[in-house]
Amino acid sequence: MKRFAELLDRLVLTGSRNAKLKLMTDYFRSTPDPDRGYALAAITGDLSFAGVKPGVLRALGAERIDPVLFAYSYDYVGDLAETLSLVWPGGEESSGDGPPLAQVVDTLANASRSDAPGILAGLLDELDIPARFAIIKLVTGGLRIGVSARLAKQALSALGDVDVSEIEEIWHGIEPPYEDLFAWLEGKGEKPEGRAAALFRPVMLAHPLGDNDREKLDPADYAAEWKWDGIRVQVSGESGTRRIYSRTGDEVSGAFPDLVGAITFDGTIDGELLVGTPPDETGSFSDLQQRLNRKTVSAKMQARYPAFVRCYDLLRAGEDDLRTLPFRERRAKLTDFVADLDARRFDLSPLVTFETFGELEALRQSPPHPVIEGLMLKRWDSSYAAGRPKGPWFKWKRDPFLIDAVLMYAQRGHGKRSSFYSDYTFGVWTGPDDAPELVPVGKAYFGFTDEELKLIDKYVRDNTVERFGPVRSVRAEPGHGLVLEVAFEGLNRSTRHKSGVAMRFPRVSRLRWDKPAGEADRLETLAAMLD
Amino acid sequence: MRPEQLLHTRPEGLYCPAGDFFIDPVRPVERALITHGHSDHARAGHKSVLATRETLAIMKLRYGDDFAGASQAIDCGQQIAVGGAKVSFHPAGHVFGSAQIAVEAGGIRIVASGDYKRQKDATSAEFEVVPCDVFITEATFGLPVFKHPDAAGEIRRLLGSVAAFPERTHLVGAYALGKAQRVIRLLREAGYDRPIFIHGALEKLCAYYQSEGIDLGPLEPATLDNADSGDFAGEIVVGPPSAFADRWARRFADPVSAFASGWMRIRQRAKQRGVELPLIISDHGDWDELTRTITETRAGEVWVTHGREEALVRWCEINGIAARPLNLVGYEDEGD
């Protein structure tokens, strides 16, 4: 337990990606099975304890400490495990090595839903603060220690000197504590492949098309297709197993029973998850959001926002792995393949014919459908390669919308940003010219550098008009205020906001220290974008 | 008389009409009573200042001889009349010379704690509990998540790291007044007798502590001509945290970045500062010290200021003590 606690502690405090990889590789190399496998599963989010959910932890906390004080603490720390490990009474003294990780996992995994809270509380009473933190992280799954599942897989690839896509490809066929995986990586066993049907195939991604790239490319080498504003998915069916994966290989089938039901084929499709009735009716991203991150989906929800996949590529058809074929051939096979599928659930992403990049540029700026966020360029002769190779595929997104807004309120951040005013509410002018008023139109908390964050934080502290808990209202008058250039992807009408508009994906694109607040945009400018 | 008539907030700071003075005002005023020498509490430019002898000396070191129009020293425990109010100073245990200020008039006594801690500290007189009607407490670490471990244990971790990485320089971030001297003193108490290298910003204050009989052992400036091997490998260097992000820090061999502060209890705080070796050593009381102190003063009412007011107010409510936040502006929590 102590080693695992140390690993988590060091990972949290290590900024550099390479140092994190080294910490994990060293840990995997020097820790015996099955402890290392459970640690790996904890990092990749593949351990789950039915009896312990975050709600149980909050409830345990509430038994030991006043819920209001707990809430203040959690709000400040920004991490449930760390909060609970600290507010739990006692634990200032070191508790030594503690029980082995595998034993803790075993005990908690076999605990019934009714016993688990008591068992967990007993462990917390026994352990010191770092070990408590580790154990709570373990039972809650999502570690939030700055290490993605992908980074852990990269540490494994370093451990065994294999390509990370090899690990991604077998990942859904193996299980904690992964003794077969470690045996293979250490040259003591066979590669554990082909253990399950409908496994994930690592996804091919695109680089943004740079200004200099266009001149070097021959338009005749590339196919163009719309980049739809949904969620990139991989849909796989094999011997009765049906799965939908996110582009990072996480399974998301549970939220889309309507789509899973239509996987009647044997093959693997790469496409965009959207809602609506293809091909004519494609719902917006906010419609799609109604379907995301849900554990269960009501029949009503499925009827109102039916999910479908707009197909980009075909990676496998039956037994045949098509990934080494050129895009031109895969596209022809995809066209035939999709023709046989349920047309309400699968349609073919249309290609865009063009002669010159100038033509495409015009289309990119005014696409024929609001749910298009740009163009994709794919080399006709490109094979389907995992990762983000430079050259075969490019994405060419529509430019974001920009407005100049005035900083109105700033809120203290969470966790890492606890000491910074890092969440900004900004507004634009409305009302008569001689008595303008600011109306808030959105909130942004990224887009600036750490250096800029320090400057804005200082500005907020120096120009505070009022404080409401973690929020400060900032001086914002025509003659005195900070102008933020805000970039956003789209604008929706909103009845919940006083301004009547809601921005999609707003972020600070520039700080306009030079611009007088009075010259920031007016609400009419935004209203015009709606129409 | 209601307590609010004896002391209340004004934009300049906490004001006592009966004595016509401010406690730790953030703007220049006619008459200021100062709890301790940290710059957010002790500012230059007041007409007259009343403080402990040590705090006055620290203000003089920091701001020069003309830090105030006039100054008057007061001993801890001594009570004097200021206008229509009686005031006395009592040790706060925060930094050398730090004091709480008790103000009495009309049969009411209010104690303004300034900043304080209860942990043992050889560089500061121990906190004295002063019974009062209203206790004004700081709340820098006013959340139950703040648990400061024994400082000697934190110093042992530092020395353990120095032993484990003899080829690296240990850079210990510690604020120039109080924290730096306490860390150095703790190192001496742990038996570390090598010279400790200090940043220039610490020199005057360390010399002052030494002149007051606080033995900090051999200190040397962390200048380039002082580096035997050229890069301070294996040595401990103490400096203000801000200097570590500076070009100044480039002279050190593969430095281990350590930071002595109560904030280091929170991992993300350490992470945000790029701290590799967090040392939880604080000038301020942790949650248990704050709540214990409130209980011990037996104050019927508590005013909570600079820090996490809401949580301490809540704790007081649960424990049947009247409490409210005192919204003083201008005190930043970065002094730890």
Side-chain angles (χ1 to χ4, degrees), chain B residues 62-80:
Chain B
R62 301 190 121 181
Y63 301 125
D65 288 344
D66 56 351
F67 68 91
S71 65
Q72 182 188 347
I74 181 169
D75 289 335
C76 277
Q78 183 190 352
Q79 190 178 60
I80 62 170

mmCIF file with all atom_site columns, all heavy atoms in Angstrom, chain B residues 62-80:
data_model
loop_
_atom_site.group_PDB
_atom_site.id
_atom_site.type_symbol
_atom_site.label_atom_id
_atom_site.label_alt_id
_atom_site.label_comp_id
_atom_site.label_asym_id
_atom_site.label_entity_id
_atom_site.label_seq_id
_atom_site.pdbx_PDB_ins_code
_atom_site.Cartn_x
_atom_site.Cartn_y
_atom_site.Cartn_z
_atom_site.occupancy
_atom_site.B_iso_or_equiv
_atom_site.pdbx_formal_charge
_atom_site.auth_seq_id
_atom_site.auth_comp_id
_atom_site.auth_asym_id
_atom_site.auth_atom_id
_atom_site.pdbx_PDB_model_num
ATOM 1   N N   . ARG B 1 62 ? 13.095 47.089 7.432  1.00 0.00 ? 62 ARG B N   1
ATOM 2   C CA  . ARG B 1 62 ? 12.462 46.904 6.126  1.00 0.00 ? 62 ARG B CA  1
ATOM 3   C C   . ARG B 1 62 ? 12.197 48.227 5.414  1.00 0.00 ? 62 ARG B C   1
ATOM 4   O O   . ARG B 1 62 ? 12.299 48.301 4.193  1.00 0.00 ? 62 ARG B O   1
ATOM 5   C CB  . ARG B 1 62 ? 11.145 46.138 6.264  1.00 0.00 ? 62 ARG B CB  1
ATOM 6   C CG  . ARG B 1 62 ? 11.317 44.780 6.895  1.00 0.00 ? 62 ARG B CG  1
ATOM 7   C CD  . ARG B 1 62 ? 10.050 43.985 6.782  1.00 0.00 ? 62 ARG B CD  1
ATOM 8   N NE  . ARG B 1 62 ? 10.314 42.757 6.049  1.00 0.00 ? 62 ARG B NE  1
ATOM 9   C CZ  . ARG B 1 62 ? 9.401  41.845 5.760  1.00 0.00 ? 62 ARG B CZ  1
ATOM 10  N NH1 . ARG B 1 62 ? 8.153  42.045 6.096  1.00 0.00 ? 62 ARG B NH1 1
ATOM 11  N NH2 . ARG B 1 62 ? 9.725  40.759 5.111  1.00 0.00 ? 62 ARG B NH2 1
ATOM 12  N N   . TYR B 1 63 ? 11.792 49.257 6.201  1.00 0.00 ? 63 TYR B N   1
ATOM 13  C CA  . TYR B 1 63 ? 11.349 50.487 5.543  1.00 0.00 ? 63 TYR B CA  1
ATOM 14  C C   . TYR B 1 63 ? 12.305 51.663 5.750  1.00 0.00 ? 63 TYR B C   1
ATOM 15  O O   . TYR B 1 63 ? 12.083 52.739 5.230  1.00 0.00 ? 63 TYR B O   1
ATOM 16  C CB  . TYR B 1 63 ? 9.964  50.896 6.065  1.00 0.00 ? 63 TYR B CB  1
ATOM 17  C CG  . TYR B 1 63 ? 8.907  49.842 5.850  1.00 0.00 ? 63 TYR B CG  1
ATOM 18  C CD1 . TYR B 1 63 ? 8.156  49.360 6.926  1.00 0.00 ? 63 TYR B CD1 1
ATOM 19  C CD2 . TYR B 1 63 ? 8.649  49.338 4.572  1.00 0.00 ? 63 TYR B CD2 1
ATOM 20  C CE1 . TYR B 1 63 ? 7.175  48.401 6.730  1.00 0.00 ? 63 TYR B CE1 1
ATOM 21  C CE2 . TYR B 1 63 ? 7.676  48.377 4.381  1.00 0.00 ? 63 TYR B CE2 1
ATOM 22  C CZ  . TYR B 1 63 ? 6.939  47.906 5.461  1.00 0.00 ? 63 TYR B CZ  1
ATOM 23  O OH  . TYR B 1 63 ? 5.969  46.960 5.259  1.00 0.00 ? 63 TYR B OH  1
ATOM 24  N N   . GLY B 1 64 ? 13.325 51.481 6.597  1.00 0.00 ? 64 GLY B N   1
ATOM 25  C CA  . GLY B 1 64 ? 14.225 52.588 6.860  1.00 0.00 ? 64 GLY B CA  1
ATOM 26  C C   . GLY B 1 64 ? 13.812 53.344 8.114  1.00 0.00 ? 64 GLY B C   1
ATOM 27  O O   . GLY B 1 64 ? 12.741 53.095 8.684  1.00 0.00 ? 64 GLY B O   1
ATOM 28  N N   . ASP B 1 65 ? 14.676 54.279 8.551  1.00 0.00 ? 65 ASP B N   1
ATOM 29  C CA  . ASP B 1 65 ? 14.471 54.978 9.819  1.00 0.00 ? 65 ASP B CA  1
ATOM 30  C C   . ASP B 1 65 ? 13.172 55.777 9.855  1.00 0.00 ? 65 ASP B C   1
ATOM 31  O O   . ASP B 1 65 ? 12.571 55.961 10.902 1.00 0.00 ? 65 ASP B O   1
ATOM 32  C CB  . ASP B 1 65 ? 15.645 55.934 10.092 1.00 0.00 ? 65 ASP B CB  1
ATOM 33  C CG  . ASP B 1 65 ? 16.904 55.146 10.468 1.00 0.00 ? 65 ASP B CG  1
ATOM 34  O OD1 . ASP B 1 65 ? 16.750 53.955 10.803 1.00 0.00 ? 65 ASP B OD1 1
ATOM 35  O OD2 . ASP B 1 65 ? 18.008 55.717 10.395 1.00 0.00 ? 65 ASP B OD2 1
ATOM 36  N N   . ASP B 1 66 ? 12.755 56.260 8.679  1.00 0.00 ? 66 ASP B N   1
ATOM 37  C CA  . ASP B 1 66 ? 11.575 57.129 8.668  1.00 0.00 ? 66 ASP B CA  1
ATOM 38  C C   . ASP B 1 66 ? 10.310 56.355 8.322  1.00 0.00 ? 66 ASP B C   1
ATOM 39  O O   . ASP B 1 66 ? 9.434  56.852 7.637  1.00 0.00 ? 66 ASP B O   1
ATOM 40  C CB  . ASP B 1 66 ? 11.787 58.270 7.676  1.00 0.00 ? 66 ASP B CB  1
ATOM 41  C CG  . ASP B 1 66 ? 12.110 57.755 6.281  1.00 0.00 ? 66 ASP B CG  1
ATOM 42  O OD1 . ASP B 1 66 ? 12.341 56.520 6.141  1.00 0.00 ? 66 ASP B OD1 1
ATOM 43  O OD2 . ASP B 1 66 ? 12.117 58.559 5.328  1.00 0.00 ? 66 ASP B OD2 1
ATOM 44  N N   . PHE B 1 67 ? 10.204 55.098 8.815  1.00 0.00 ? 67 PHE B N   1
ATOM 45  C CA  . PHE B 1 67 ? 9.034  54.276 8.462  1.00 0.00 ? 67 PHE B CA  1
ATOM 46  C C   . PHE B 1 67 ? 7.736  54.863 9.016  1.00 0.00 ? 67 PHE B C   1
ATOM 47  O O   . PHE B 1 67 ? 6.654  54.561 8.549  1.00 0.00 ? 67 PHE B O   1
ATOM 48  C CB  . PHE B 1 67 ? 9.217  52.829 8.933  1.00 0.00 ? 67 PHE B CB  1
ATOM 49  C CG  . PHE B 1 67 ? 9.222  52.653 10.432 1.00 0.00 ? 67 PHE B CG  1
ATOM 50  C CD1 . PHE B 1 67 ? 8.036  52.397 11.108 1.00 0.00 ? 67 PHE B CD1 1
ATOM 51  C CD2 . PHE B 1 67 ? 10.409 52.743 11.154 1.00 0.00 ? 67 PHE B CD2 1
ATOM 52  C CE1 . PHE B 1 67 ? 8.039  52.233 12.490 1.00 0.00 ? 67 PHE B CE1 1
ATOM 53  C CE2 . PHE B 1 67 ? 10.408 52.571 12.521 1.00 0.00 ? 67 PHE B CE2 1
ATOM 54  C CZ  . PHE B 1 67 ? 9.228  52.330 13.204 1.00 0.00 ? 67 PHE B CZ  1
ATOM 55  N N   . ALA B 1 68 ? 7.853  55.707 10.056 1.00 0.00 ? 68 ALA B N   1
ATOM 56  C CA  . ALA B 1 68 ? 6.663  56.346 10.627 1.00 0.00 ? 68 ALA B CA  1
ATOM 57  C C   . ALA B 1 68 ? 7.061  57.701 11.186 1.00 0.00 ? 68 ALA B C   1
ATOM 58  O O   . ALA B 1 68 ? 8.239  57.936 11.466 1.00 0.00 ? 68 ALA B O   1
ATOM 59  C CB  . ALA B 1 68 ? 6.072  55.483 11.735 1.00 0.00 ? 68 ALA B CB  1
ATOM 60  N N   . GLY B 1 69 ? 6.051  58.600 11.374 1.00 0.00 ? 69 GLY B N   1
ATOM 61  C CA  . GLY B 1 69 ? 6.341  59.909 11.951 1.00 0.00 ? 69 GLY B CA  1
ATOM 62  C C   . GLY B 1 69 ? 6.923  59.756 13.348 1.00 0.00 ? 69 GLY B C   1
ATOM 63  O O   . GLY B 1 69 ? 7.930  60.383 13.693 1.00 0.00 ? 69 GLY B O   1
ATOM 64  N N   . ALA B 1 70 ? 6.283  58.912 14.157 1.00 0.00 ? 70 ALA B N   1
ATOM 65  C CA  . ALA B 1 70 ? 6.767  58.671 15.512 1.00 0.00 ? 70 ALA B CA  1
ATOM 66  C C   . ALA B 1 70 ? 6.466  57.240 15.870 1.00 0.00 ? 70 ALA B C   1
ATOM 67  O O   . ALA B 1 70 ? 5.530  56.650 15.331 1.00 0.00 ? 70 ALA B O   1
ATOM 68  C CB  . ALA B 1 70 ? 6.059  59.604 16.503 1.00 0.00 ? 70 ALA B CB  1
ATOM 69  N N   . SER B 1 71 ? 7.267  56.648 16.767 1.00 0.00 ? 71 SER B N   1
ATOM 70  C CA  . SER B 1 71 ? 6.977  55.283 17.167 1.00 0.00 ? 71 SER B CA  1
ATOM 71  C C   . SER B 1 71 ? 7.126  55.134 18.666 1.00 0.00 ? 71 SER B C   1
ATOM 72  O O   . SER B 1 71 ? 7.903  55.855 19.310 1.00 0.00 ? 71 SER B O   1
ATOM 73  C CB  . SER B 1 71 ? 7.908  54.308 16.441 1.00 0.00 ? 71 SER B CB  1
ATOM 74  O OG  . SER B 1 71 ? 9.235  54.517 16.837 1.00 0.00 ? 71 SER B OG  1
ATOM 75  N N   . GLN B 1 72 ? 6.350  54.210 19.210 1.00 0.00 ? 72 GLN B N   1
ATOM 76  C CA  . GLN B 1 72 ? 6.401  53.958 20.644 1.00 0.00 ? 72 GLN B CA  1
ATOM 77  C C   . GLN B 1 72 ? 6.407  52.459 20.847 1.00 0.00 ? 72 GLN B C   1
ATOM 78  O O   . GLN B 1 72 ? 5.597  51.739 20.244 1.00 0.00 ? 72 GLN B O   1
ATOM 79  C CB  . GLN B 1 72 ? 5.157  54.583 21.293 1.00 0.00 ? 72 GLN B CB  1
ATOM 80  C CG  . GLN B 1 72 ? 5.127  54.422 22.799 1.00 0.00 ? 72 GLN B CG  1
ATOM 81  C CD  . GLN B 1 72 ? 3.786  54.885 23.405 1.00 0.00 ? 72 GLN B CD  1
ATOM 82  O OE1 . GLN B 1 72 ? 2.988  55.543 22.723 1.00 0.00 ? 72 GLN B OE1 1
ATOM 83  N NE2 . GLN B 1 72 ? 3.542  54.536 24.643 1.00 0.00 ? 72 GLN B NE2 1
ATOM 84  N N   . ALA B 1 73 ? 7.334  51.988 21.692 1.00 0.00 ? 73 ALA B N   1
ATOM 85  C CA  . ALA B 1 73 ? 7.413  50.545 21.949 1.00 0.00 ? 73 ALA B CA  1
ATOM 86  C C   . ALA B 1 73 ? 6.572  50.188 23.162 1.00 0.00 ? 73 ALA B C   1
ATOM 87  O O   . ALA B 1 73 ? 6.441  50.982 24.094 1.00 0.00 ? 73 ALA B O   1
ATOM 88  C CB  . ALA B 1 73 ? 8.862  50.136 22.186 1.00 0.00 ? 73 ALA B CB  1
ATOM 89  N N   . ILE B 1 74 ? 5.996  49.016 23.125 1.00 0.00 ? 74 ILE B N   1
ATOM 90  C CA  . ILE B 1 74 ? 5.226  48.537 24.275 1.00 0.00 ? 74 ILE B CA  1
ATOM 91  C C   . ILE B 1 74 ? 5.661  47.117 24.578 1.00 0.00 ? 74 ILE B C   1
ATOM 92  O O   . ILE B 1 74 ? 5.923  46.330 23.662 1.00 0.00 ? 74 ILE B O   1
ATOM 93  C CB  . ILE B 1 74 ? 3.706  48.629 23.983 1.00 0.00 ? 74 ILE B CB  1
ATOM 94  C CG1 . ILE B 1 74 ? 2.892  48.140 25.190 1.00 0.00 ? 74 ILE B CG1 1
ATOM 95  C CG2 . ILE B 1 74 ? 3.319  47.851 22.730 1.00 0.00 ? 74 ILE B CG2 1
ATOM 96  C CD1 . ILE B 1 74 ? 1.398  48.449 25.082 1.00 0.00 ? 74 ILE B CD1 1
ATOM 97  N N   . ASP B 1 75 ? 5.797  46.789 25.856 1.00 0.00 ? 75 ASP B N   1
ATOM 98  C CA  . ASP B 1 75 ? 6.164  45.421 26.236 1.00 0.00 ? 75 ASP B CA  1
ATOM 99  C C   . ASP B 1 75 ? 4.918  44.549 26.251 1.00 0.00 ? 75 ASP B C   1
ATOM 100 O O   . ASP B 1 75 ? 3.820  45.033 26.560 1.00 0.00 ? 75 ASP B O   1
ATOM 101 C CB  . ASP B 1 75 ? 6.770  45.405 27.656 1.00 0.00 ? 75 ASP B CB  1
ATOM 102 C CG  . ASP B 1 75 ? 8.149  46.032 27.683 1.00 0.00 ? 75 ASP B CG  1
ATOM 103 O OD1 . ASP B 1 75 ? 8.805  46.029 26.613 1.00 0.00 ? 75 ASP B OD1 1
ATOM 104 O OD2 . ASP B 1 75 ? 8.542  46.543 28.744 1.00 0.00 ? 75 ASP B OD2 1
ATOM 105 N N   . CYS B 1 76 ? 5.117  43.279 25.986 1.00 0.00 ? 76 CYS B N   1
ATOM 106 C CA  . CYS B 1 76 ? 3.996  42.372 26.124 1.00 0.00 ? 76 CYS B CA  1
ATOM 107 C C   . CYS B 1 76 ? 3.579  42.318 27.581 1.00 0.00 ? 76 CYS B C   1
ATOM 108 O O   . CYS B 1 76 ? 4.426  42.296 28.482 1.00 0.00 ? 76 CYS B O   1
ATOM 109 C CB  . CYS B 1 76 ? 4.369  40.973 25.623 1.00 0.00 ? 76 CYS B CB  1
ATOM 110 S SG  . CYS B 1 76 ? 4.198  40.862 23.832 1.00 0.00 ? 76 CYS B SG  1
ATOM 111 N N   . GLY B 1 77 ? 2.282  42.337 27.824 1.00 0.00 ? 77 GLY B N   1
ATOM 112 C CA  . GLY B 1 77 ? 1.766  42.284 29.186 1.00 0.00 ? 77 GLY B CA  1
ATOM 113 C C   . GLY B 1 77 ? 1.505  43.649 29.797 1.00 0.00 ? 77 GLY B C   1
ATOM 114 O O   . GLY B 1 77 ? 0.734  43.776 30.743 1.00 0.00 ? 77 GLY B O   1
ATOM 115 N N   . GLN B 1 78 ? 2.121  44.691 29.226 1.00 0.00 ? 78 GLN B N   1
ATOM 116 C CA  . GLN B 1 78 ? 1.954  46.044 29.758 1.00 0.00 ? 78 GLN B CA  1
ATOM 117 C C   . GLN B 1 78 ? 0.636  46.624 29.220 1.00 0.00 ? 78 GLN B C   1
ATOM 118 O O   . GLN B 1 78 ? 0.293  46.418 28.060 1.00 0.00 ? 78 GLN B O   1
ATOM 119 C CB  . GLN B 1 78 ? 3.135  46.881 29.233 1.00 0.00 ? 78 GLN B CB  1
ATOM 120 C CG  . GLN B 1 78 ? 3.201  48.299 29.719 1.00 0.00 ? 78 GLN B CG  1
ATOM 121 C CD  . GLN B 1 78 ? 4.258  49.105 28.938 1.00 0.00 ? 78 GLN B CD  1
ATOM 122 O OE1 . GLN B 1 78 ? 5.018  48.543 28.142 1.00 0.00 ? 78 GLN B OE1 1
ATOM 123 N NE2 . GLN B 1 78 ? 4.311  50.392 29.161 1.00 0.00 ? 78 GLN B NE2 1
ATOM 124 N N   . GLN B 1 79 ? -0.135 47.322 30.080 1.00 0.00 ? 79 GLN B N   1
ATOM 125 C CA  . GLN B 1 79 ? -1.369 47.938 29.595 1.00 0.00 ? 79 GLN B CA  1
ATOM 126 C C   . GLN B 1 79 ? -1.216 49.457 29.612 1.00 0.00 ? 79 GLN B C   1
ATOM 127 O O   . GLN B 1 79 ? -0.726 50.017 30.603 1.00 0.00 ? 79 GLN B O   1
ATOM 128 C CB  . GLN B 1 79 ? -2.557 47.529 30.468 1.00 0.00 ? 79 GLN B CB  1
ATOM 129 C CG  . GLN B 1 79 ? -3.885 47.952 29.860 1.00 0.00 ? 79 GLN B CG  1
ATOM 130 C CD  . GLN B 1 79 ? -5.078 47.517 30.695 1.00 0.00 ? 79 GLN B CD  1
ATOM 131 O OE1 . GLN B 1 79 ? -5.197 47.909 31.856 1.00 0.00 ? 79 GLN B OE1 1
ATOM 132 N NE2 . GLN B 1 79 ? -5.955 46.713 30.108 1.00 0.00 ? 79 GLN B NE2 1
ATOM 133 N N   . ILE B 1 80 ? -1.603 50.099 28.511 1.00 0.00 ? 80 ILE B N   1
ATOM 134 C CA  . ILE B 1 80 ? -1.528 51.563 28.488 1.00 0.00 ? 80 ILE B CA  1
ATOM 135 C C   . ILE B 1 80 ? -2.846 52.129 27.964 1.00 0.00 ? 80 ILE B C   1
ATOM 136 O O   . ILE B 1 80 ? -3.628 51.416 27.340 1.00 0.00 ? 80 ILE B O   1
ATOM 137 C CB  . ILE B 1 80 ? -0.355 52.083 27.609 1.00 0.00 ? 80 ILE B CB  1
ATOM 138 C CG1 . ILE B 1 80 ? -0.545 51.659 26.155 1.00 0.00 ? 80 ILE B CG1 1
ATOM 139 C CG2 . ILE B 1 80 ? 0.989  51.636 28.139 1.00 0.00 ? 80 ILE B CG2 1
ATOM 140 C CD1 . ILE B 1 80 ? 0.426  52.334 25.206 1.00 0.00 ? 80 ILE B CD1 1
#
